[in-house]
Amino acid sequence: MPSIKKVTPMTENPYVRLYHLDVESKTGKAGHYYVASRAKDERHLKLNTRENHPDGVIIYAVCKEDKNKVVLVRQYRYAIDDYIYEFPAGLVETGEDFKTAGIREMKEETGLTLEPVTVNPAYEKPYFTTIGMTDESCATVYGYASGTVSRAGLEDSEELEIVLADKEEVKRILKEEKVAIMTSYMLMHFLHDGEPFEFLKEI
């Protein structure tokens, strides 16, 4: 199998860093690879720890008072210089449980209170986001959101609109708008589930 011979940090940034890998292919040919990571140093890269602790969390929340609506954010992202539809999400802080992070992020981004539901661990455990370029993984929290929408908790760097979308609006968004891939898959479930989170009963 291929192997990694050396890892060299290339950047030092607060939220994401780039690492250069000297690698060897399965036939013994030397090569180069680049990995972006949330890891603060080489020791914490998942290729070294062999552990998959979630870097971030996404929140799939249905409105408690109107279960035909799902909570989305339409957020500006520098990577595409445009707005994209996503679930509320954020980074898991050091020592923080990802469910606690989900509750915190929902409140900060939308002003809403999240009541998580209990699901099979297979549905909420951290999965890798874009494994071809990063070791980042995100866990998922499912639940019901209640309260009053507010932007008061947003940071200056966050530019987003809070959207409570019914199924017709979700159909339009999937057809016409830019959507984050994890969000798009969950929205497909939202459209076809007879009741909220019905697909979570499959395992």
Side-chain angles (χ1 to χ4, degrees):
M1 63 181 287
S3 61
I4 299 169
K5 300 302 181 182
K6 184 180 179 181
V7 179
T8 305
M10 296 188 68
T11 62
E12 288 190 14
N13 300 307
Y15 300 110
V16 63
R17 298 185 179 192
L18 184 65
Y19 295 85
H20 171 260
L21 277 56
D22 289 299
V23 300
E24 187 175 281
S25 72
K26 62 183 180 182
T27 59
K29 184 177 180 180
H32 304 276
Y33 204 86
Y34 299 89
V35 174
S37 179
R38 302 286 189 183
K40 61 183 179 180
D41 55 47
E42 179 186 340
R43 294 177 299 119
H44 291 87
L45 287 168
K46 291 186 173 78
L47 61 86
N48 284 326
T49 66
R50 302 293 172 172
E51 296 177 347
N52 185 19
H53 297 300
D55 300 288
V57 60
I58 63 172
I59 305 107
Y60 175 10
V62 171
C63 295
K64 186 175 182 179
E65 296 180 359
D66 185 351
K67 295 181 176 61
N68 291 311
K69 291 184 177 180
V70 63
V71 182
L72 300 172
V73 294
R74 179 177 176 268
Q75 185 164 4
Y76 175 84
R77 293 295 191 181
Y78 287 111
I80 57 173
D81 189 25
D82 203 353
Y83 288 85
I84 186 169
Y85 283 83
E86 307 173 59
F87 283 135
L91 296 178
V92 178
E93 296 179 354
T94 302
E96 186 178 36
D97 174 82
F98 72 82
K99 289 185 180 179
T100 302
I103 293 170
R104 174 180 55 76
E105 286 290 346
M106 176 65 84
K107 177 63 72 172
E108 290 176 358
E109 289 197 357
T110 71
L112 299 173
T113 298
L114 178 69
E115 299 175 35
V117 298
T118 301
V119 302
N120 188 298
Y123 286 112
E124 62 183 9
K125 73 176 188 178
Y127 287 99
F128 293 99
T129 56
T130 312
I131 196 59
M133 61 174 288
T134 178
D135 66 354
E136 180 189 56
S137 66
C138 288
T140 306
V141 177
Y142 306 85
Y144 294 98
S146 60
T148 302
V149 168
S150 171
R151 293 162 50 91
L154 294 178
E155 298 178 5
D156 180 67
S157 60
E158 293 178 304
E159 171 57 32
L160 61 82
E161 171 191 356
I162 302 151
V163 179
L164 306 181
D166 61 18
K167 291 190 175 183
E168 288 305 311
E169 177 62 3
V170 166
K171 289 178 185 178
R172 187 199 68 78
I173 289 169
L174 289 174
K175 289 178 181 178
E176 301 176 7
E177 304 287 354
K178 294 181 174 69
V179 184
I181 189 167
M182 290 185 289
T183 302
S184 70
Y185 290 151
M186 294 297 183
L187 289 180
M188 293 174 197
H189 283 297
F190 175 73
L191 287 178
H192 293 284
D193 282 354
E195 60 182 82
F197 313 122
E198 186 175 351
F199 76 99
L200 295 175
K201 301 175 183 177
E202 294 299 320
I203 292 181

